[in-house]
Amino acid sequence: VVRAAVMEEAVKQKSHRKRQAGPKAEKKRSKKGSVEGKNPKAFTFKSAVRAARAVKRNLDLQSRREHLPSVDRSPQEPPPLCVAVVGPPKVGKSTLIQGLVRNFTRQNLVNVQGPVTIVSGKKCRLTLLECGNDINTMIDVAKLADLVLLLVDASFGFEMETFEFLNILQVHGFPKVMGVLTHLDVLTSAKTLRKTKKRLKQRFWTEIYQGAKLFYISGMVHGQYPKTEIHNLGRFISVMKFRPLEWRSAHPCVLVDRVEDLTDPQAIRVNSKCDRTVSLYGYVRGTHLKQHSSVHIPGVTYPTSMPPSL
């Protein structure tokens, strides 16, 4: 009975009525000014300093997009994009490549031996390449990589090899670089994790550029990285657009995907140290190879005659 009485009283309560007369109503009316129903500050800036900063920032962004016109010398059917996975030992390079292969092909790759080429879209192929902790390998990878996935151990931080590789990149045209933080599961405290992420992000931006993309990969589950995080990384790579680098257009190179020994098996049986005939297969990157140009294989440089274009 009491509840019913309370509900009846609530229903009987009058709705709020605006004041039509009195000091409050007059004060509101004077605030509106001469123009009735229009806000004079609606179409102007609140702060002139902030507006100037916004204009300056937009002009900076616009000027960054403006580049000198560059000629794309890549063939009609371009080679697969070379994605180099770089980082110190035991940081998770092979696990990341296996995760990307599983994401795009739904197949497990047990051992990573040499470049792995996969189809990431209707018109996009990726060649995943693992870079060892060796100065010669770093130089070769810096010459042909279109995108560099720079792996950093979050529990340790940046290592000397990472800075060495970035210095090598600057000499060879500096392709796109994306950072990937691994071993985040070692940091158990949420506060430490947040501070570490912020510190490494600022350091990464100092080395690359402000706003460079940095991915966070949490701990491993059953020896694999989480499916969602690898899927997001793969999606970001597959939709990325690349500009032709001037250094690459002037320095053609071939990344060998397959090696075939054409030597007669009988000659090998007779003499295991006989001269071998080896065939190398791979895409020419950058621009066309020139006639009578020298070919450099790590460890040896010799002149060769190139075949005529087909």
Side-chain angles (χ1 to χ4, degrees):
V1 177
V2 175
R3 188 181 294 175
V6 170
M7 288 177 69
E8 280 179 14
E9 283 182 12
V11 172
K12 287 178 185 177
Q13 280 179 355
K14 292 182 181 180
S15 59
H16 175 71
R17 291 184 182 179
K18 274 181 140 186
R19 282 184 176 274
Q20 303 293 332
K24 242 183 204 179
E26 286 174 10
K27 190 178 179 183
K28 283 187 179 178
R29 214 174 290 126
S30 63
K31 272 187 180 179
K32 287 183 180 178
S34 57
V35 184
E36 194 69 29
K38 286 190 179 180
N39 182 4
K41 290 187 177 180
F43 303 101
T44 183
F45 356 92
K46 194 174 181 181
S47 167
V49 178
R50 282 187 185 175
R53 279 181 193 162
V55 170
K56 187 180 177 183
R57 183 173 177 276
N58 290 333
L59 289 172
D60 285 344
L61 291 172
Q62 189 178 344
S63 63
R64 280 178 196 167
R65 292 193 195 102
E66 293 170 356
H67 297 285
L68 289 171
S70 58
V71 181
D72 189 2
R73 300 182 188 278
S74 57
Q76 192 172 3
E77 187 182 345
L81 295 171
C82 184
V83 180
V85 182
V86 184
K90 303 294 181 185
V91 79
K93 298 189 290 293
S94 301
T95 313
L96 183 65
I97 291 176
Q98 288 168 354
L100 288 172
V101 170
R102 195 182 305 110
N103 177 60
F104 286 115
T105 65
R106 301 293 184 267
Q107 292 182 3
N108 289 326
L109 183 68
V110 181
N111 293 321
V112 180
Q113 295 178 343
V116 181
T117 303
I118 55 176
V119 178
S120 63
K122 289 182 179 178
K123 296 182 180 179
C124 184
R125 291 167 298 162
L126 302 175
T127 297
L128 302 173
L129 181 65
E130 184 178 344
C131 178
N133 194 27
D134 175 35
I135 194 74
N136 295 320
T137 312
M138 287 180 181
I139 292 170
D140 289 334
V141 167
K143 289 176 181 176
L144 54 92
D146 296 303
L147 171 67
V148 175
L149 296 180
L150 200 63
L151 268 67
V152 179
D153 187 349
S155 62
F156 187 84
F158 286 91
E159 297 191 29
M160 205 64 213
E161 293 87 351
T162 308
F163 297 120
E164 286 289 341
F165 184 75
L166 289 174
N167 288 335
I168 294 167
L169 282 183
Q170 287 178 348
V171 185
H172 297 100
F174 211 96
K176 289 199 172 185
V177 179
M178 279 169 48
V180 180
L181 287 185
T182 59
H183 297 175
L184 289 170
D185 53 333
V186 179
L187 308 170
T188 52
S189 169
K191 187 178 180 182
T192 312
L193 180 64
R194 190 169 61 250
K195 282 187 175 181
T196 306
K197 279 183 179 180
K198 186 177 179 181
R199 177 172 52 83
L200 292 176
K201 183 178 73 172
Q202 293 297 334
R203 182 62 175 155
F204 185 70
W205 285 5
T206 306
E207 292 297 325
I208 312 297
Y209 62 87
Q210 287 291 320
K213 192 66 182 174
L214 187 65
F215 275 89
Y216 305 110
I217 294 185
S218 53
M220 297 171 67
V221 181
H222 304 300
Q224 300 174 2
Y225 287 134
K227 194 182 288 184
T228 311
E229 295 172 359
I230 294 293
H231 177 72
N232 292 338
L233 177 61
R235 186 172 177 79
F236 201 88
I237 293 170
S238 58
V239 300
M240 191 175 282
K241 294 180 181 178
F242 299 91
R243 284 188 71 251
L245 299 175
E246 289 183 14
W247 192 93
R248 198 73 51 80
S249 301
H251 299 79
C253 64
V254 177
L255 173 62
V256 176
D257 295 316
R258 184 162 63 93
V259 180
E260 192 174 330
D261 192 355
L262 304 177
T263 316
D264 184 14
Q266 182 62 30
I268 298 173
R269 277 194 220 100
V270 174
N271 182 14
S272 60
K273 295 183 179 179
C274 65
D275 293 339
R276 302 289 185 98
T277 305
V278 181
S279 180
L280 307 176
Y281 299 87
Y283 284 93
V284 178
R285 298 168 185 272
T287 182
H288 303 293
L289 293 172
K290 298 175 184 177
Q291 285 280 355
H292 308 294
S293 60
S294 296
V295 172
H296 169 72
I297 299 173
V300 60
T301 304
Y302 59 90
T304 183
S305 60
M306 298 307 300
S309 59
L310 299 175

